[in-house]
Structure formats: C-alpha cells, structure tokens
Amino acid sequence: MFALVDAPPASRPGKGLSGSLGLRRIGRAYAVVERRADVPPAEFGTLRRHHEIVRELAEQVPAILPVRFGTLLDTDALEEALTERDDDIEDAFAVVRGRVQFTWRRGSKGLRGSKGSKGSRGSEGSKGSQGSEGSGGSKGSGTAYLLEAARAARPVPPAGWRSLRSKLAPLVVAERYQPAQATMPDSLYHLVARDSAIRYATLGRALAHADPALAMTGPWPPFAFAADTL
C-alpha cells in the first residue's frame, strides 16, 4: 500500500514496484495499492521508487496521506483498518488538502540548542526524554506521565530555529519538529499551501544560502503530516 487519496488521480495509476497500481475505495478514501505476496526489500532503489510513486500521485489529487513503506495487508484487514478510522482519515485529509511539505535539516554543529532534546524522538515512533518530571507532580505520577507524553509527541523546536521560523511563519500552515537522532540531524517540517510554494521556496533558498548549516528540500507530499492511518 502506498497512500490514501481523497479522489481518483487525474490519470490512470501506472506501475508500482513490480506490478500495476490499483485503486480500492473504502469509505471516503481511495487506497492506492499493488498486489504482492511479500514486503518489498528496504533497499535504496526500492525506497526511491516508492517515494517517486507517492510524489507522482500527490501531483494528481487534492489530498494525499502517504502510508509507511512496507505496509502489507490482505483485503479484509485493509477494509477493517480504514472503515474504523473513516472520520480520522477525513480530518487528516482536511489538514493536507491543497498543501505540500518542505523539509529543513540542520547539523549538530549549527544548532547547539538541540542538545537538550537528546534522548527523545518525534511522533514517528517516539520515546520521551528520560528523567523528566511534570510540573507540580512526582516522576511517577499520572500528570507527569501525560505531560511528558505530550512533549514527546509534539517536541518544540529549540531556540536555534527561531529566526528561520519567524521569517517563514506567514507562509506556514502547520509545523512539526524532529529532534536529532543517531542517523538524522534536527529536522523541521513545514506544511505550505501549494499556491504559496514558489514564494516559500524562494525565501527558503535565501535563508539556506545565508546559513551553510541549513539545508532545505521540497516541495514534497506531506509525509510528516500524514496521520498514522495504518
């Protein structure tokens, strides 16, 4: 499974990883699928092709929710999973409809403020910061746990990102921040209206040119803003 879309693509879906792509309507969504018997290998060429398929689909539909690479379900499981989350999926479509994602990376040398977030990861399989306590509660209290879980699910960008965020804020619809991991530097994701993408990219390139530690890519499908649908 590659993605959920809110309408059939403008042109007939083409080839997937090894066979033809198909559409399966379930509730208010269309699942873009390819029949296969096993999970595709997580190799560079396969991952790149998966990304290309999602990107091509995104250019042909109002809203797309990319699905995690390697998601393999039989027909009954697919229908059950999506039917139970029909309202959630419709809400997720509303967030990304007519919008694209830009991604920012910044290395550890250029962002001292990220040191404090060591040990936590963003909402994509996150772990909370170890040893944190909620305000006014003990380390083991329910309140402290909920506060810590909320911080881990929506980590706040450190001060080193403040200037870039303030300059791009008028064009940003939504934002997500991913603290540095062992194999990935700090990452900032911006959701931007398609009709603002050229202006955003122009301003973004100027900001990246002024700070060699910054790298911007996009526009992409809204990978970081897709709900965990499956």
Side-chain angles (χ1 to χ4, degrees):
M1 184 171 178
F2 293 90
L4 298 176
V5 295
D6 65 340
S11 61
R12 185 178 179 85
K15 187 177 175 61
L17 298 178
S18 58
S20 298
L21 294 175
L23 288 178
R24 180 176 292 276
R25 182 164 189 174
I26 304 175
R28 286 170 282 183
Y30 294 84
V32 182
V33 298
E34 174 188 2
R35 287 185 176 275
R36 61 182 303 126
D38 57 355
V39 175
E43 300 171 347
F44 177 75
T46 306
L47 293 167
R48 182 173 61 181
R49 177 57 187 154
H50 183 276
H51 185 277
E52 290 174 351
I53 291 168
V54 175
R55 181 176 55 80
E56 291 166 2
L57 289 168
E59 295 174 351
Q60 302 182 55
V61 296
I64 185 169
L65 299 172
V67 173
R68 189 184 303 274
F69 175 84
T71 299
L72 184 68
L73 297 170
D74 62 32
T75 301
D76 290 341
L78 176 61
E79 292 186 356
E80 182 180 354
L82 297 185
T83 301
E84 291 179 351
R85 303 195 62 188
D86 207 29
D87 291 339
D88 292 339
I89 291 170
E90 181 58 32
D91 290 343
F93 277 143
V95 172
V96 302
R97 187 170 285 117
R99 293 163 179 168
V100 295
Q101 173 184 311
F102 284 88
T103 300
W104 289 89
R105 311 283 190 198
R106 191 168 190 178
S108 58
K109 291 183 178 180
L111 190 55
R112 296 179 181 274
S114 65
K115 184 177 181 180
S117 60
K118 184 178 181 181
S120 67
R121 294 186 290 180
S123 58
E124 299 173 4
S126 63
K127 290 184 178 180
S129 302
Q130 297 180 0
S132 296
E133 297 185 13
S135 58
S138 65
K139 182 177 179 181
S141 72
T143 300
Y145 174 82
L146 292 174
L147 289 171
E148 180 61 22
R151 284 193 292 268
R154 288 290 184 271
V156 178
W161 289 100
R162 186 176 299 144
S163 176
L164 180 144
R165 295 172 67 212
S166 65
K167 291 173 182 175
L168 293 171
L171 299 174
V172 175
V173 176
E175 177 183 80
R176 297 192 75 174
Y177 170 67
Q178 178 79 42
Q181 301 180 33
T183 59
M184 185 73 70
D186 292 65
S187 302
L188 190 67
Y189 306 100
H190 281 164
L191 194 64
V192 178
R194 284 176 179 167
D195 57 8
S196 298
I198 294 177
R199 283 196 297 157
Y200 182 100
T202 300
L203 179 56
R205 282 193 292 268
L207 294 172
H209 181 74
D211 186 348
L214 288 171
M216 180 193 75
T217 60
W220 303 120
F223 290 100
F225 299 90
D228 293 329
T229 50
L230 294 173

